[in-house]
Structure formats: C-alpha cells, structure tokens
Amino acid sequence: MPIFRRYPSSTRGWHVTQEASNPFDITKAVDFDDQQISDYWVDLPGGPGFRDLVKPTSPMPMLVLGGKGSGKTHLLRFFSYPLQKLRHVDPNSAIRAEGYVGVYLRCGGLNASRFWGKGQRQDAWATLFQQYMDIWLAQLFLGIAGDALKAEMLAPREALLCKSIVDLFDIAPPNPPQTLSELASLFRDWQRSLDVAINNAALTRRLDTLIHISPGRLVFGIPQVFARTLESFNGIQVLYLIDEFENLDEHQQRYVNTLIREKGSALFFQGWRSPVRHSDL
C-alpha cells in the first residue's frame, strides 16, 4: 500500500508525494495476521513438503529447534486451526480433511515469570502453573470446537458434552454449565480467580485459590470427550502447538514435557521449543 506524505512547497504552499511502503516493516511472524501467514508461506520445492516432515497426524511428539528468525513461529501457526480454516471452505471440513485440529499456544502470553517468589514455595507455584496452563489450553480448544461445529451438529449433544467434561473436575461447580459457552465462561472465571491470587500474592503473602482439576485431566480429557461424543471429532488428532517454549522456567518446562511423555491415547500432544539457547549448543 502506498504512503502519501505532505511537504511544504515554496510555490503552492503544500504538495503531496507518494512513497512505496516498506515490505519489510513487519519481520516477525508473531506480528503477522492469519492471512499474511498463509500468503507468505513458502513450502519446500519439489518432493515432500513441510507437512510430510512435520506429520501433524502422527502419534509421535516433535521438537523444533532453531535460532531467532529461523521460521519456527511461522511453521507452528501454519498448522494451527485459523490457517486450517483459510485452506478450506468449511471449518469442520477443514478438520476432517486434514485429520487434525491445531491448537496454538504462545508461552509468552502466559507471563510465566509471575509464577515464582512472593514468599511462596516453589511446589505451590508449580501446582498453580499446571492448573493455569491446563485451563488456558482448555479455553483454546473449546473456542476452536465452538467455531468449527455447526449448531445443528452440536445442539443434540451439547449438554452431554458439558456433563462429561464436568465429570473431569475434582470440585464440581455449584451450577454446572449446560452449553459450551457457559463452560468457557466458567473457565474464564477460574482463570480470573487465579490471576487475582497471583497478582496479590506479593502483598498478601498468600495464594488464596483452589485447584479444581488434577493436572493434565483437561488437556487429555476434553478432546477424548469430544471424540467419544461427536462423530465429527472421532479419529481427529488434537495437535497442541507450543511456541516460545524457552520463556518457561525449568519447572514449567518439566510439566509440559510430562504432558508430552504421558500423552493420552486419544490425544496427540506436540511440543515445540524455540529458540535454541546457548546451553543447547
């Protein structure tokens, strides 16, 4: 898109000139919108492409190592659900055609540095982080499911879906959700409660919150519930795309690695690590 600028002129007061915009103004994939990720995607020339290398429907996890600017974020986002939608006319047909649904999580958004100090034990912070990450991933998956499933496909089974997911909880809510929208709202409330406890711990020296669900139960359990309940999700791999893994500390990375190692039979958890740190060289 051209840029128009106004400059003073000695003869006519002001005149307007047109300048070409810099195509390299945005150089980081994290700043691209979904359409730009698709437009700027360049596959391997000739023979197998990146899909054959990444194998998004494979039951095996994968680590992608690379330095800053090597294309890790672009690669992860290309296999995420928003880009799947762009490649197909219908969101649900996109998932069926590609055989997986990509759930993209950027670890920088977790503000992982909040989960330490403030007069609390490390094991308390580790437990709180596990709950926070599980709730975050659950919200991302529910958002995708709600977008991909047509109302007529979801309505007959929605109450059963919600009941089966509530059965995963260790502490049942007083008013169990009946719709995916209500369930997502419940998770947002829990996340907000965790945020309040974390943000105030430096002042109160307490973590006034409850752990509602055992670690990993949402991450593994919710996709399994969808696969059992909805034919359109049966046989679909859930691909968790974890970006900026290096932003997590050692204890947090250990939890993610545990999820990768203990992946459920109906769930594919794919972890990505970036960039390579000096200790990896």
Side-chain angles (χ1 to χ4, degrees), residues 69-184:
S70 59
K72 300 175 302 298
T73 294
H74 205 132
L75 181 67
L76 269 61
R77 288 186 59 187
F78 183 80
F79 288 99
S80 67
Y81 171 72
L83 273 294
Q84 290 180 273
K85 282 178 59 178
L86 290 179
R87 293 193 287 270
H88 299 269
V89 176
D90 177 68
N92 186 257
S93 66
I95 294 174
R96 298 301 305 177
E98 301 196 6
Y100 76 96
V101 56
V103 183
Y104 175 81
L105 171 67
R106 182 172 169 234
C107 290
L110 288 170
N111 295 320
S113 61
R114 299 188 301 156
F115 296 87
W116 68 278
K118 305 180 180 69
Q120 309 301 315
R121 303 189 316 273
Q122 182 56 49
D123 60 340
W125 282 123
T127 300
L128 203 62
F129 173 80
Q130 294 166 9
Q131 184 82 152
Y132 199 94
M133 186 168 190
D134 285 5
I135 291 175
W136 192 297
L137 288 171
Q139 290 182 83
L140 292 174
F141 180 84
L142 288 179
I144 291 172
D147 183 72
L149 294 171
K150 297 178 181 178
E152 59 269 22
M153 299 168 58
L154 184 60
R157 296 281 186 166
E158 191 167 16
L160 178 59
L161 273 173
C162 292
K163 181 183 182 303
S164 299
I165 293 173
V166 170
D167 288 342
L168 300 172
F169 300 173
D170 296 322
I171 302 176
N175 299 307
Q178 300 298 313
T179 66
L180 291 185
S181 177
E182 292 176 1
L183 184 61

Side-chain angles (χ1 to χ4, degrees), residues 114-115 118 120 125 128 132 190-210:
R114 299 188 301 156
F115 296 87
K118 305 180 180 69
Q120 309 301 315
W125 282 123
L128 203 62
Y132 199 94
W190 283 356
Q191 185 179 26
R192 191 175 297 113
S193 175
L194 291 173
D195 283 329
V196 171
I198 294 166
N199 294 339
N200 286 279
L203 301 177
T204 64
R205 315 307 283 183
R206 300 190 308 273
L207 286 173
D208 295 325
T209 189
L210 294 174

